[in-house]
Amino acid sequence: MLSRQPKLVGLPADVLLMALALCGVEDVLRVEMTCRVLRDVAATQYLWLAHLRSLPNECAPNFPPHVSIVSLDFIGLKSLVVRAVRGSRNWNSPSPKATREIKVIVNDPVRKPARVVKKASLVPGGDYLLVEWTTRPFVLDGYLQLLEVSNGEKIWLYPDPDCPSSGSRRLWAYGVDRIADNVLRVATIETDWKIYSELSVFFFFFSFISQIALHRHLRFFRMAIKVFEIDLCERRSKTIYDHQLGNGYLMEPYHLYLQGDHIVLVGYAKALYFLNWKSSCFAELTSVSFAPLAMSTVSHFHHRRMLP
């Protein structure tokens, strides 16, 4: 006597899992609504972890780097994958729609002279906002302000306006990394504004040749790299790394990226710098070509060396 049970449901669970792993995300959502057996098969960590790992780059989810993906259950993985796929489809549509709107009121932390927001970026996790203030674009006289998105409360401000030496510090670049739910790290690279302001006269009043001379002279600044650890619950911070770079290390750092123990600096002069701030190991790549559709090529490489 032939069984009346549908052939699909009669397959072993591991076979069904492999089949659903090859389906699209929306197809899995439809299949799990058909019957209890397929719903139970779809409610597994393995299935949604496989879909998460197979997402293309344009669908990469917004996920805090300090959280281990394998620690999530199937509900968390499923929510992460579905939001990533639907969010990518929404923002790539001809008329994307905002899924959530949050208004954050920011106020100038110093006010004299008046400043404007130069850059604002969400911290990984989306619940804190890092704001850079400056008096004029392309002028290194700003402050970093960390705000809580939900209520606009100020968490951290650097440099401290009450510190006597804060007036001479000028930030070139900064980066942020989240290492725990309640702990952030911010890395900055800065120099003494008094030295730079004297040299910047050449930048405005002389020819292109003088600008090149200025750039060469900038290589001999003694810049400082600092890493701050911010406790979001206690609303306080501490400096966990503060090191002066030796002469000839950097030329106008343009971007700074911080992740874990590593810092990547991008310079205006097509140079990349890699730093392990815990071990103070430093490597420099110069004359980097950023040709489109090609791997970056390096013509010179300065071997890893210790900071002085």
Side-chain angles (χ1 to χ4, degrees):
M1 181 176 178
L2 295 176
S3 175
R4 296 181 180 180
Q5 188 180 31
K7 293 182 179 180
L8 179 62
V9 179
L11 293 174
D14 55 345
V15 176
L16 292 175
L17 269 177
M18 294 177 62
L20 292 179
L22 297 176
C23 296
V25 173
E26 296 294 344
D27 294 331
V28 176
L29 297 178
R30 296 188 187 98
V31 168
E32 69 175 359
M33 297 175 63
T34 57
C35 67
R36 180 176 57 83
V37 175
L38 293 178
R39 183 188 62 193
D40 292 341
V41 172
T44 58
Q45 184 190 39
Y46 168 83
L47 175 64
W48 293 105
L49 187 59
H51 278 287
L52 179 63
R53 289 172 173 168
S54 63
L55 288 177
N57 291 335
E58 59 269 18
C59 295
N62 181 17
F63 191 72
H66 67 279
V67 179
S68 175
I69 292 179
V70 296
S71 66
L72 298 179
D73 57 11
F74 89 92
I75 297 177
L77 289 171
K78 176 182 176 181
S79 175
L80 193 66
V81 172
V82 172
R83 283 189 284 110
V85 171
R86 292 179 176 176
S88 175
R89 184 191 309 136
N90 175 41
W91 289 112
N92 289 298
S93 64
S95 55
K97 298 179 181 179
T99 56
R100 185 175 61 164
E101 181 178 347
I102 301 176
K103 182 182 292 186
V104 182
I105 300 177
V106 296
N107 296 311
D108 187 350
V110 182
R111 297 188 179 181
K112 290 184 179 181
R115 286 173 168 80
V116 295
V117 175
K118 180 181 178 182
K119 180 183 178 182
S121 55
L122 283 172
V123 172
D127 46 355
Y128 292 91
L129 186 70
L130 191 62
V131 182
E132 181 182 4
W133 294 86
T134 183
T135 55
R136 298 185 305 277
F138 310 110
V139 175
L140 307 174
D141 64 347
Y143 287 83
L144 289 179
Q145 185 181 39
L146 182 66
L147 303 171
E148 189 170 357
V149 171
S150 60
N151 54 21
E153 181 183 354
K154 185 188 75 173
I155 307 298
W156 180 69
L157 180 65
Y158 181 79
D160 186 357
D162 298 329
C163 181
S165 61
S166 64
S168 63
R169 295 175 183 172
R170 290 302 178 262
L171 299 175
W172 284 91
Y174 61 91
V176 61
D177 185 27
R178 191 163 192 166
I179 61 172
D181 287 339
N182 299 317
V183 180
L184 295 179
R185 282 179 181 164
V186 178
T188 65
I189 181 165
E190 56 192 62
T191 188
D192 193 321
W193 176 253
K194 295 178 181 178
I195 302 175
Y196 180 78
S197 60
E198 295 174 0
L199 293 174
S200 61
V201 175
F202 296 99
F203 184 82
F204 293 106
F205 294 102
F206 287 91
S207 62
F208 179 73
I209 297 178
S210 296
Q211 295 180 28
I212 295 177
L214 170 63
H215 290 169
R216 290 178 178 175
H217 197 53
L218 284 173
R219 286 187 64 88
F220 299 97
F221 275 4
R222 291 192 63 84
M223 294 184 176
I225 292 182
K226 298 182 179 181
V227 179
F228 304 91
E229 190 167 279
I230 305 171
D231 189 323
L232 300 175
C233 292
E234 300 294 334
R235 302 294 196 262
R236 59 186 180 186
S237 66
K238 60 181 179 180
T239 304
I240 59 176
Y241 183 79
D242 186 352
H243 201 102
Q244 295 283 337
L245 292 176
N247 292 340
Y249 271 97
L250 295 174
M251 181 186 288
E252 295 188 88
Y254 182 58
H255 286 298
L256 186 152
Y257 302 95
L258 171 67
Q259 185 170 2
D261 302 342
H262 301 90
I263 293 175
V264 177
L265 295 167
V266 182
Y268 281 104
K270 295 183 179 180
L272 293 176
Y273 307 88
F274 300 89
L275 167 68
N276 185 314
W277 59 269
K278 280 193 174 180
S279 62
S280 293
C281 289
F282 189 92
E284 177 183 359
L285 282 73
T286 58
S287 302
V288 179
S289 173
F290 298 99
L293 303 179
M295 295 290 290
S296 297
T297 58
V298 181
S299 59
H300 296 85
F301 176 71
H302 295 271
H303 293 284
R304 186 181 295 260
R305 56 184 184 268
M306 297 297 293
L307 289 170

